[in-house]
Amino acid sequence: MKKLTLFATLMIVALLSFVTSASAVGTDKEYTPVPPSEDTVTAYITSLHNENGHVVIQADPIEWYEGAAADQKFMERDKEAAEELGGAPDGYYIINDDHTLQSYNVAPDAKVLMQLYDHDGTYEGMQINWNEPVSLDKYLAIMSNDKLMDMKNFPYHLTVQDGKVVKIVQQYIP
């Protein structure tokens, strides 16, 4: 029983150190929202795979709102909760009424920007680095590694031009 208690204590200390280090990082670059545009789709990526020599993303498009727009949508959809909480929790609001998956071909030279991921297999290595560029190959490896954190739980902003995803930006969620 003592070993279990010690293990639980160590896990709590490790998680707390992760949380405090994650919130302290990023002071040299602040969070900046991805501006909405006609060629950007925000979605949960459900899978990535190679198809006939190129990467294909299967994604569930969502509506992503931040700040005042999030508060407004939250109020429209759940007035009682919005009034009780004083706005959208954590400053964002997601609407995902349609779970139809869409397929997107990814350009081989697509730009990928990550906010948070498992850098080295440790909780300490999961630091926030705002808009950290990674190669498409590295992104595929990150997305297939769910040992410490499942990267499919984050929304991504996909910039689509000429029928191909040319930019992927991970949306940080607190």
Side-chain angles (χ1 to χ4, degrees):
M1 194 64 145
K2 255 187 175 178
K3 284 184 180 180
L4 181 58
T5 306
L6 178 60
F7 176 75
T9 303
L10 289 173
M11 288 303 296
I12 290 169
V13 169
L15 288 171
L16 287 175
S17 68
F18 165 68
V19 169
T20 56
S21 66
S23 63
V25 178
T27 54
D28 61 332
K29 286 172 100 180
E30 293 298 320
Y31 169 78
T32 54
V34 173
S37 70
E38 287 186 22
D39 60 352
T40 301
V41 175
T42 303
Y44 285 109
I45 295 175
T46 60
S47 70
L48 292 118
H49 59 276
N50 281 306
E51 191 173 290
N52 299 324
H54 57 274
V55 176
V56 176
I57 289 177
Q58 286 283 321
D60 178 8
I62 63 171
E63 295 176 55
W64 171 263
Y65 300 94
E66 290 183 70
D71 292 339
Q72 179 183 346
K73 284 294 180 184
F74 187 43
M75 179 68 81
E76 289 172 10
R77 294 178 68 99
D78 194 347
K79 185 176 181 178
E80 186 177 309
E83 288 174 349
E84 183 179 318
L85 295 172
D90 295 321
Y92 70 91
Y93 192 68
I94 296 170
I95 297 175
N96 190 10
D97 293 334
D98 181 0
H99 296 282
T100 304
L101 297 180
Q102 300 291 323
S103 291
Y104 301 95
N105 291 324
V106 180
D109 60 346
K111 184 176 180 180
V112 180
L113 301 175
M114 298 295 292
Q115 316 309 322
L116 173 69
Y117 68 93
D118 176 2
H119 286 82
D120 62 8
T122 66
Y123 286 106
E124 295 80 18
M126 292 192 304
Q127 303 271 333
I128 297 172
N129 295 313
W130 300 119
N131 295 316
E132 177 182 349
V134 298
S135 69
L136 184 57
D137 287 338
K138 174 83 173 175
Y139 179 64
L140 294 172
I142 291 167
M143 290 296 285
S144 67
N145 177 8
D146 63 359
K147 292 178 183 154
L148 297 179
M149 183 183 329
D150 188 350
M151 301 312 295
K152 292 177 184 82
N153 290 329
F154 289 87
Y156 292 86
H157 303 281
L158 310 174
T159 303
V160 181
Q161 294 176 345
D162 297 324
K164 290 189 178 185
V165 174
V166 296
K167 186 175 181 182
I168 302 167
V169 180
Q170 178 193 33
Q171 174 61 54
Y172 175 75
I173 50 175

